[in-house]
Amino acid sequence: MSKRIKAVLVLSAFILTTIGAFPALAAEKIDVRKMAEDLAQFLLSTRRLLAQNVDIINTHGAKVGEPLPQNAPYSFKGVIPAYMGRVIGEDFFKNTGVRVKQTTLGKGDFGPRNVYNAPDDWEKEVLTRFYEPSYPKGKGYGEEQEVDGKRVYRYAFPLYIEKACLKCHGDPKTSPTGDGLDMAGKPMESYAEGEVRGCISIIIPLAEAAA
């Protein structure tokens, strides 16, 4: 058997073990917190790259790694972190049983932009901690709980406003349409770089300890 085939088999076994077996995880057998942290970072990277490339996505003829075409038509396609994070999370849940969600308390009177991103009671409590100035930046929070009669591990990782986020969530005076709305037609909330925007919330099912 060639080294290449062996490598493929080893990688396949790893994927099946760590991804396909999600619904039957036992906290005693696998570092569930580390898994949750890695999932949060993966979605965070996806969000970051989408935000950084939104002009390439929406500008006709634009290509990654090249200057934006001058005077090219700009057409908003709806491919933004909020939407893509939601549909990726939904597809991931269908295939693994693990819930990955973006949520927020919003800012001031704005609240969450989208109903599907509204926090549940646990998320509200954790988000309130994240918004506290004394809470350590970049530190997630997780704990085991019982949800609908099943043991799960819940984890939340804070989301912070980055420079690329300000195009939609920054100063309303920078509105692309001059009316305080962003390219998606949502009110810009006057966030500043570094502020807490919300969190990535993850629910991983745990197998019974005796399993």
Side-chain angles (χ1 to χ4, degrees):
M1 184 181 293
S2 71
K3 291 183 179 180
R4 179 175 295 179
I5 293 177
K6 287 182 179 179
V8 171
L9 289 175
V10 170
L11 178 60
S12 299
F14 172 78
I15 293 173
L16 288 173
T17 301
T18 59
I19 303 298
F22 267 135
L25 290 178
E28 298 80 10
K29 299 177 182 178
I30 297 177
D31 188 342
V32 182
R33 182 183 177 93
K34 180 63 166 62
M35 184 176 294
E37 290 173 343
D38 290 345
L39 283 173
Q41 289 298 325
F42 185 82
L43 184 58
L44 180 60
S45 293
T46 302
R47 288 174 49 88
R48 181 178 293 123
L49 287 172
L50 283 168
Q52 291 174 349
N53 289 282
V54 66
D55 285 336
I56 294 175
I57 294 170
N58 294 321
T59 302
H60 181 72
K63 296 181 180 179
V64 174
E66 296 182 6
L68 288 175
Q70 295 295 315
N71 302 317
Y74 193 94
S75 176
F76 177 63
K77 299 177 178 65
V79 182
I80 53 177
Y83 171 75
M84 293 305 297
R86 175 173 68 89
V87 295
I88 289 172
E90 290 173 349
D91 186 72
F92 193 74
F93 174 71
K94 289 178 184 177
N95 289 285
T96 66
V98 174
R99 292 191 180 277
V100 182
K101 171 189 173 185
Q102 305 162 126
T103 187
T104 181
L105 295 177
K107 185 173 184 178
D109 297 329
F110 289 105
R113 284 189 168 197
N114 303 289
V115 175
Y116 51 76
N117 284 342
D120 61 22
D121 290 340
W122 185 86
E123 291 163 342
K124 288 179 182 177
E125 182 180 341
V126 175
L127 279 166
T128 300
R129 299 183 190 182
F130 291 165
Y131 281 97
E132 290 292 331
S134 60
Y135 191 86
K137 187 170 184 177
K139 180 181 179 180
Y141 176 81
E143 63 181 2
E144 288 191 27
Q145 277 197 339
E146 186 169 301
V147 177
D148 297 329
K150 297 180 180 179
R151 288 179 60 236
V152 301
Y153 183 76
R154 299 204 65 170
Y155 178 78
F157 185 80
L159 286 173
Y160 301 95
I161 291 291
E162 300 182 2
K163 185 176 181 179
C165 306
L166 297 176
K167 188 180 289 288
C168 291
H169 298 285
D171 189 342
K173 294 178 182 178
T174 64
S175 166
T177 48
D179 55 2
L181 304 180
D182 68 3
M183 64 183 73
K186 303 285 187 179
M188 299 176 69
E189 306 101 328
S190 294
Y191 275 100
E193 190 172 352
E195 284 191 276
V196 176
R197 168 59 182 153
C199 76
I200 294 174
S201 177
I202 295 172
I203 303 178
I204 301 177
L206 299 174
E208 293 299 330

